[in-house]
Amino acid sequence: MIDDGEQGASRGIFFDSVSRYFNRAAGYSKVDTGLLRQVKTCNAVYRMRFPVRADDGSIAVVEAFRAEHSYHRLPTKGGIRFSEIVSLDETIALAALMTYKCAIVGVPFGGAKGGVILDSHSLSEGFRERVIRRYTAELIRKNFIGPDIDVPAPDYGTGEQEMGWIADTYKNLKMNEPHPYACVTGKPLGMQGIPGRTEATGLGVYYGIRACTEQPEEMKRLGLNPGVAGKRVIVQGLGNVGYHAAHYLQSQGGATIVGIIEREGALYAADGLDVDAVYRHRREGGTLEHFDGGEFSADGAAALERDCDILIPAALEDQITAENAPRIRARIIAEAANGPVDFDGEAILRERGILMIPDLFLNAGGVTVSYFEWLKNRAGVSFDRLLSRNEELTKTRLVETLESLTERRVPEPVRSQLVHGSREKDLVTTALEQTMMHSFEQIHRMWTSRDLPDLRTAAFLLAIERVAESYGQHGIFP
Ligand code: NAD
């Protein structure tokens, strides 16, 4: 067992699960025990309480955290979660997953995470803004934010609006910072955000599922045909990640979304739900109820257990435990959320031959695209300007050479089609697709070549070895 200095009283199911997953994978590595302890442990936490004026004029005391898990690479990086069940241990466990996630997809950051104990879905916009601006000021005060220090992003309960407020607060309080917008990613486009960041995690989930279902031997073992097309899918959580994953699975992959689960209950339709229509319906009415194209049930937990090919938990952790794992009927569980399956639940699912695509690989699309946003902000120039111009010049030269060799002029519409450079969004999407496919190949190869129990152990082991190697390369500061 690798002691991370956090032993003792129970730290919560999610924290314990991440710790046990780490230990299991560490058992297959040859990394020195002291170094393993360093790879596992959380390097720094900031726990804060601050007053914020509530909408009725009273003073609310808000409790919040920022955990910086690993300094093997800087800056550290990780989302900010708003939820009434946020805790310090949950924040630390999420920060650890960020370290491993970045290592798997080759993003050169350490992991971090922020948490604010508030249910964002029930807050007014004004209150959310006051909380997030004050939270940012607290992070600045303790040097827990900055382009080269620690760079937050959206997570459960936050989105581009909150990231915009963070960037604005930082810019105003750090007047001498040359690239203030690089202090946070997931910003609105007008504030130097990057096209494709909002949907990046869900799109990455789609690419990751596609890569996995294209493995003929795995699908054969599960009794399924290779490919996403025609797979029956149930999604839990129709927020940023869940909605985009379902949208791309349906529109690009040809999957049938048979079930959608939200807080108030679930919708089911054996011949498929129109994801975009359900999303609009819930956004307008605040509930899945009364949607025309599916049957509604108030029992969301029971819907997790319905028959399907792929179950995608995309809400919160600990949704599948030893209690309900024996009743899950999906053949594949695609972990879009962080930690949706706990350690004991996982053992039962594995025993039952259910394939799990682990969170630390599957939802890494967000941080992958965040990395491009950060690079662009640091460079002070968009990829459009940087790459398209160069690409256009090269292609123009090619067309001109062709014209001089053939002594014929290429017609204008064809020329413009040939010469047109990549748009920033195309570049981001292609890079995301490549990253998810390549990372899947790596963890799949590790799983099979090192005879590991499952994909999760392979993903953890790959991350552990990469972080340990990075410590080896840079040495440990005396
Ligand atoms: P979100 O707030 O946009 O959406 C979450 C959705 O889940 C909400 O619609 C909420 O109503 C729903 N939900 C909550 N409890 C539920 C329950 N018991 N049953 C069904 N639905 C429920 O959050 P998000 O950004 O989509 O994050 C979802 C998960 O994905 C989290 O675990 C988060 O850590 C993870 N994640 C998010 C990102 C990102 O870029 N946003 C990146 C990586 C991982």
Side-chain angles (χ1 to χ4, degrees):
M1 190 174 76
I2 306 301
D3 168 15
D4 59 354
E6 311 277 355
Q7 312 293 329
S10 168
R11 314 294 306 245
I13 300 172
F14 175 45
F15 183 96
D16 285 344
S17 291
V18 174
S19 173
R20 291 164 81 187
Y21 289 140
F22 182 99
N23 287 347
R24 182 173 66 195
Y28 292 90
S29 90
K30 293 191 172 58
V31 175
D32 165 83
T33 311
L35 189 49
L36 280 174
R37 202 175 294 137
Q38 172 56 32
V39 173
K40 187 179 185 192
T41 200
C42 181
N43 291 182
V45 294
Y46 176 25
R47 175 183 190 154
M48 63 201 96
R49 292 192 182 90
F50 49 80
V52 180
R53 186 72 63 188
D55 294 334
D56 64 2
S58 64
I59 291 170
V61 177
V62 176
E63 184 166 7
F65 315 96
R66 184 76 185 168
E68 293 177 345
H69 176 261
S70 178
Y71 294 148
H72 73 291
R73 293 257 197 254
L74 287 173
T76 50
K77 183 103 192 65
I80 297 176
R81 176 175 282 198
F82 265 53
S83 153
E84 66 278 35
I85 57 159
V86 159
S87 68
L88 180 58
D89 290 334
E90 181 197 56
T91 311
I92 292 174
L94 288 164
L97 283 180
M98 283 306 299
T99 294
Y100 312 140
K101 217 176 278 190
C102 290
I104 288 169
V105 290
V107 166
F109 293 146
K113 203 78 180 191
V116 178
I117 310 182
L118 285 172
D119 173 15
S120 78
H121 303 97
S122 63
L123 304 178
S124 72
E125 186 172 309
F127 186 67
R128 267 189 301 128
E129 178 172 359
R130 291 192 291 281
V131 170
I132 204 85
R133 285 188 184 275
R134 178 61 194 256
Y135 178 72
T136 310
E138 290 293 329
L139 295 179
I140 293 172
R141 185 207 296 267
K142 298 282 184 197
N143 223 15
F144 266 65
I145 186 171
D148 296 314
I149 300 170
D150 186 355
V151 181
D155 191 68
Y156 184 93
T158 60
E160 63 172 32
Q161 167 88 85
E162 287 76 15
M163 303 307 117
W165 288 326
I166 292 175
D168 184 62
T169 308
Y170 187 85
K171 182 169 131 280
N172 282 294
L173 294 180
K174 301 282 278 185
M175 304 294 273
N176 295 325
E177 170 62 59
H179 301 296
Y181 285 139
C183 78
V184 62
T185 60
K187 302 178 291 293
L189 282 180
M191 292 182 80
Q192 297 183 22
I194 198 159
R197 172 58 186 92
T198 305
E199 58 270 42
T201 308
L203 182 57
V205 167
Y206 163 61
Y207 289 143
I209 292 175
R210 197 185 65 186
C212 182
T213 55
E214 277 169 3
Q215 292 292 324
E217 67 281 16
E218 300 310 337
M219 293 307 108
K220 195 171 165 204
R221 192 177 59 74
L222 297 172
L224 297 172
N225 292 326
V228 166
K231 296 267 179 310
R232 296 164 308 129
V233 177
I234 295 180
V235 182
Q236 181 200 38
L238 199 61
N240 178 297
V241 179
Y243 162 66
H244 287 109
H247 167 84
Y248 288 110
L249 277 161
Q250 182 171 72
S251 62
Q252 287 196 15
T256 308
I257 311 298
V258 294
I260 293 177
I261 311 171
E262 256 295 338
R263 296 167 184 235
E264 63 279 6
L267 273 178
Y268 187 84
D271 53 356
L273 295 157
D274 177 339
V275 174
D276 289 347
V278 175
Y279 183 71
R280 279 194 304 274
H281 172 84
R282 187 168 190 274
R283 200 180 49 197
E284 280 153 23
T287 173
L288 294 176
E289 256 182 292
H290 313 302
F291 180 75
D292 267 347
E295 142 214 343
F296 178 80
S297 145
D299 191 349
L304 278 177
E305 300 166 15
R306 287 193 85 138
D307 185 34
C308 65
D309 299 319
I310 308 177
L311 172 62
I312 308 183
L316 285 170
E317 54 265 27
D318 304 336
Q319 297 303 301
I320 301 173
T321 63
E323 194 279 316
N324 59 356
R327 299 189 299 275
I328 297 291
R329 281 188 281 164
R331 305 305 301 139
I332 299 173
I333 295 181
E335 298 183 346
N338 284 308
V341 178
D342 82 348
F343 192 84
D344 295 332
E346 195 220 41
I348 297 169
L349 296 176
R350 185 151 24 87
E351 180 81 1
R352 296 184 51 223
I354 296 172
L355 177 70
M356 280 159 281
I357 314 179
D359 50 5
L360 69 170
F361 153 70
L362 193 63
N363 66 32
V367 73
T368 304
V369 173
S370 276
Y371 175 47
F372 302 138
E373 181 176 336
W374 178 82
L375 280 175
K376 155 180 155 158
N377 296 157
R378 289 292 313 265
V381 58
S382 78
F383 290 115
D384 258 352
R385 291 192 66 177
L386 212 64
L387 297 171
S388 303
R389 186 81 195 107
N390 182 289
E391 206 176 312
E392 280 175 20
L393 278 174
T394 316
K395 288 181 177 169
T396 304
R397 272 189 218 117
L398 264 175
V399 171
E400 284 169 1
T401 312
L402 190 74
E403 286 176 336
S404 78
L405 284 174
T406 58
E407 293 181 1
R408 289 178 64 184
R409 185 149 173 78
V410 174
E412 196 43 52
V414 181
R415 166 183 275 262
S416 119
Q417 211 178 13
L418 286 173
V419 165
H420 161 72
S422 309
R423 298 269 73 88
E424 197 164 46
K425 185 159 185 192
D426 298 338
L427 287 169
V428 165
T429 308
T430 312
L432 173 63
E433 185 175 14
Q434 292 298 324
T435 303
M436 294 306 292
M437 281 164 50
H438 181 62
S439 304
F440 181 79
E441 273 165 28
Q442 288 183 312
I443 58 170
H444 188 256
R445 195 175 321 120
M446 191 150 210
W447 177 23
T448 49
S449 68
R450 304 226 343 219
D451 201 18
L452 301 170
D454 53 22
L455 270 177
R456 189 191 316 279
T457 309
F460 265 90
L461 185 56
L462 183 68
I464 288 170
E465 291 186 345
R466 287 194 172 160
V467 177
E469 189 190 345
S470 158
Y471 273 116
Q473 278 165 4
H474 306 297
I476 305 272
F477 189 73

